[in-house]
Amino acid sequence: MRESRTTLRVRFGETDMAGIVFYPNFFAYFDIATQALFAGGPVDVPAQMKAGGFGFPIAESGAKFLAPLSYDDEITIVSRVADLRTRSLRVEHAVYRGELLCATGFEARVHGRKKADGSGVEVTPIPPALVSWLGDPVA
Amino acid sequence: MRESRTTLRVRFGETDMAGIVFYPNFFAYFDIATQALFAGGPVDVPAQMKAGGFGFPIAESGAKFLAPLSYDDEITIVSRVADLRTRSLRVEHAVYRGELLCATGFEARVHGRKKADGSGVEVTPIPPALVSWLGDPVA
Amino acid sequence: MRESRTTLRVRFGETDMAGIVFYPNFFAYFDIATQALFAGGPVDVPAQMKAGGFGFPIAESGAKFLAPLSYDDEITIVSRVADLRTRSLRVEHAVYRGELLCATGFEARVHGRKKADGSGVEVTPIPPALVSWLGDPVA
Amino acid sequence: MRESRTTLRVRFGETDMAGIVFYPNFFAYFDIATQALFAGGPVDVPAQMKAGGFGFPIAESGAKFLAPLSYDDEITIVSRVADLRTRSLRVEHAVYRGELLCATGFEARVHGRKKADGSGVEVTPIPPALVSWLGDPVA
């Protein structure tokens, strides 16, 4: 299944008064990394989302925090599609600072968009070309 | 074990272009709710943290997202200490909009502070008075 | 002209590694305070924005930072409409911690919404009922 | 005086429900760009800040918003030292999407750090080597 590596540098504003990255920002990093997974694929996901179309709303997420990150740290997020279904996928992430594994986590996302009445999410099949590109679909 | 209820209103800046709350902000809500758990207790945790002292760094966190939240929604986060040990605790959260359960989640936190050399977290016992106040400690 | 007072408590996640509120968050506070200005008025601005309708996109903003804010500080933002025109308004803000003035700032906003093609903002007249409610309009 | 160019891509989480970048994030971009100004200079500002030393707290900031930014836009922030004094500096920023000027702004910052008692900022001279590097100091 597809993998991506996203490198970024911790921003000053991502830290908190404890001197380390405020933990919800790890999930923001995961979000960036998952978007990066789609780059170069057959569907321009950002363009589609800008046009009010489909994206990948989150269903579940979790992380283990193994070592804190500090301002200006260069980190690499290794992300891979761990499960791929017709309407959902699971991405697993590992955050490294150099050789040090600092966090692991996952995101379970569906394919869909906000219902027009705001009541929830309309789930639809992932475009087959995107499924093929992301990896071998699991029944 | 101790419980808290935190009510807040979704801020415009907490939404994203999908028209709903950007999911890492749910973890920011959990963080707010956990801080609220300590309010009124025998240890002034914010004062201690401002003085460079101990706090409750995160070890693990996760959430399930059941219904999206929108700008200006009033939400209530029901949080309870689910496990309490000498050096760590687990808090479980449920996010409601009116009667509707929108998300559930948890945080596993240790008691400690960033090591002076930035290499990690120094874990120490939770002050006994705080343990007593938070609930009956589990072996 | 209309004024509002917004009271909130500084969140842990709004601080940075310098131990104080990360300065862009003062503008997030201004945004909250301006939204509060509209509360109770003749137009439900949040509902209208959720429906894809008009809001008040920013045209210019600025702030002077007089004293830092820390985690758990209770602050009051005093906001008043300082200039009101048919298609725009200016709001002035003052941020207090107790008696101490910690920051002053302003926002100049237009009435409008994002153009469908994303190329910019479509500016339209503020609904007359809202103008009347906000204060005496200036030519 | 010294100039820098910082290129970044708008993150999904930096947008709001209006479909464009939430305006306080422009100031977060300015903060990133100013930090980039110091890169390669004679003082390792991030390292110094991590060690609890001096940085450049904000005194005043402002921006004009000329065109909205959207998710996945690649932007360049052109930043230059516009005024340089012994204890403060002013940086001017211009944000471009391709050839289009989307925002202009400035930051006035002092050299200092938070006072140990949290009452305010201790202002100190900018290290002479850094002043020299940043440009010709203005009396």
Side-chain angles (χ1 to χ4, degrees):
Chain A
M1 304 247 215
R2 197 156 288 271
E3 289 193 21
S4 70
R5 300 175 74 86
T6 305
T7 297
L8 52 83
R9 195 170 282 276
V10 171
R11 297 172 173 183
F12 181 76
E14 291 165 353
T15 63
D16 61 32
M17 62 175 283
I20 55 181
V21 169
F22 181 52
Y23 97 76
N25 288 326
F26 281 82
F27 293 97
Y29 296 158
F30 292 169
D31 188 75
I32 292 165
T34 291
Q35 308 290 348
L37 255 184
F38 301 125
V43 175
D44 186 338
V45 177
Q48 196 169 267
M49 294 174 75
K50 284 185 203 179
F54 296 99
F56 288 89
I58 195 85
E60 186 176 354
S61 188
K64 295 184 183 180
F65 305 94
L66 309 173
L69 296 179
S70 301
Y71 170 46
D72 209 41
D73 282 351
E74 187 177 278
I75 61 174
T76 298
I77 308 161
V78 179
S79 307
R80 63 184 195 89
V81 179
D83 191 12
L84 181 61
R85 295 174 184 266
T86 52
R87 295 160 183 264
S88 65
L89 83 173
R90 180 186 172 97
V91 181
E92 293 182 351
H93 303 283
V95 180
Y96 291 90
R97 183 179 70 235
E99 299 295 309
L100 183 66
L101 180 61
C102 296
T104 60
F106 74 94
E107 295 177 307
R109 292 171 177 266
V110 296
H111 184 256
R113 64 177 166 190
K114 191 180 64 155
K115 285 184 185 167
D117 64 3
S119 68
V121 170
E122 176 191 358
V123 178
T124 59
I126 304 173
L130 183 53
V131 174
S132 297
W133 188 80
L134 287 170
D136 296 325
V138 174
Chain B
M1 304 244 215
R2 196 157 289 271
E3 288 193 21
S4 70
R5 299 175 75 84
T6 304
T7 297
L8 53 83
R9 196 171 282 277
V10 170
R11 297 173 173 182
F12 181 76
E14 291 165 353
T15 63
D16 60 32
M17 62 175 285
I20 56 180
V21 169
F22 181 53
Y23 97 78
N25 288 327
F26 281 81
F27 294 96
Y29 297 159
F30 292 169
D31 188 76
I32 292 166
T34 291
Q35 308 290 347
L37 255 184
F38 301 126
V43 174
D44 186 338
V45 176
Q48 196 169 266
M49 294 175 74
K50 284 185 202 179
F54 296 100
F56 287 90
I58 195 83
E60 187 176 352
S61 188
K64 293 184 183 178
F65 305 94
L66 310 173
L69 296 178
S70 301
Y71 170 46
D72 209 41
D73 282 350
E74 187 177 278
I75 61 173
T76 298
I77 309 160
V78 180
S79 306
R80 63 185 195 88
V81 179
D83 191 11
L84 180 60
R85 296 175 184 266
T86 52
R87 295 161 183 263
S88 65
L89 84 173
R90 181 185 171 96
V91 181
E92 292 182 353
H93 303 282
V95 180
Y96 290 90
R97 183 179 70 232
E99 300 294 310
L100 184 66
L101 179 62
C102 297
T104 60
F106 74 94
E107 295 176 307
R109 292 171 176 267
V110 297
H111 184 257
R113 64 177 167 192
K114 190 181 64 156
K115 285 184 186 167
D117 64 2
S119 67
V121 170
E122 175 193 358
V123 178
T124 59
I126 304 173
L130 183 53
V131 173
S132 297
W133 188 81
L134 287 170
D136 297 323
V138 174
Chain C
M1 304 247 216
R2 196 157 290 270
E3 289 193 21
S4 71
R5 300 175 74 84
T6 305
T7 297
L8 53 83
R9 197 171 282 276
V10 171
R11 298 172 172 182
F12 181 76
E14 292 166 352
T15 63
D16 61 32
M17 61 175 283
I20 56 180
V21 169
F22 182 52
Y23 96 78
N25 287 326
F26 281 81
F27 294 97
Y29 297 159
F30 292 169
D31 189 74
I32 292 165
T34 291
Q35 308 289 349
L37 255 182
F38 300 126
V43 174
D44 186 338
V45 176
Q48 195 170 264
M49 294 174 75
K50 283 185 204 178
F54 297 99
F56 287 90
I58 196 82
E60 188 176 352
S61 188
K64 293 184 183 180
F65 305 94
L66 309 173
L69 296 178
S70 300
Y71 170 45
D72 208 42
D73 282 350
E74 187 178 279
I75 61 172
T76 298
I77 308 161
V78 180
S79 306
R80 65 185 193 87
V81 179
D83 192 11
L84 182 60
R85 296 174 183 266
T86 52
R87 292 160 184 265
S88 65
L89 84 173
R90 181 185 172 96
V91 180
E92 292 182 352
H93 303 282
V95 180
Y96 290 90
R97 184 179 69 235
E99 299 294 309
L100 184 67
L101 180 61
C102 296
T104 60
F106 75 94
E107 295 177 308
R109 291 172 177 266
V110 296
H111 184 258
R113 65 177 165 189
K114 190 180 64 155
K115 285 183 186 167
D117 65 2
S119 68
V121 171
E122 176 192 357
V123 179
T124 59
I126 304 173
L130 182 54
V131 173
S132 297
W133 188 81
L134 287 170
D136 296 323
V138 173
Chain D
M1 305 247 215
R2 197 157 289 271
E3 289 193 21
S4 71
R5 300 175 74 85
T6 305
T7 297
L8 52 83
R9 197 170 282 275
V10 171
R11 297 172 172 182
F12 182 75
E14 292 166 352
T15 63
D16 60 32
M17 62 176 281
I20 56 180
V21 169
F22 182 52
Y23 97 78
N25 288 327
F26 280 82
F27 294 97
Y29 296 158
F30 293 169
D31 189 75
I32 293 165
T34 291
Q35 309 289 350
L37 255 183
F38 301 126
V43 174
D44 186 338
V45 176
Q48 195 170 266
M49 295 175 74
K50 283 186 203 178
F54 297 99
F56 287 90
I58 196 82
E60 186 176 352
S61 188
K64 293 184 183 178
F65 306 94
L66 309 173
L69 296 179
S70 300
Y71 170 45
D72 209 41
D73 282 350
E74 187 177 278
I75 61 173
T76 298
I77 309 161
V78 180
S79 306
R80 65 186 195 88
V81 179
D83 191 11
L84 181 60
R85 295 175 184 265
T86 52
R87 293 161 184 264
S88 65
L89 83 173
R90 180 185 172 97
V91 180
E92 292 182 352
H93 303 283
V95 180
Y96 291 90
R97 183 178 70 234
E99 300 294 309
L100 184 66
L101 180 62
C102 296
T104 60
F106 75 94
E107 295 177 307
R109 291 172 176 267
V110 296
H111 184 258
R113 64 176 166 192
K114 191 180 63 153
K115 286 183 185 168
D117 64 3
S119 68
V121 170
E122 176 192 359
V123 178
T124 58
I126 304 173
L130 182 54
V131 173
S132 296
W133 188 80
L134 287 170
D136 296 323
V138 175

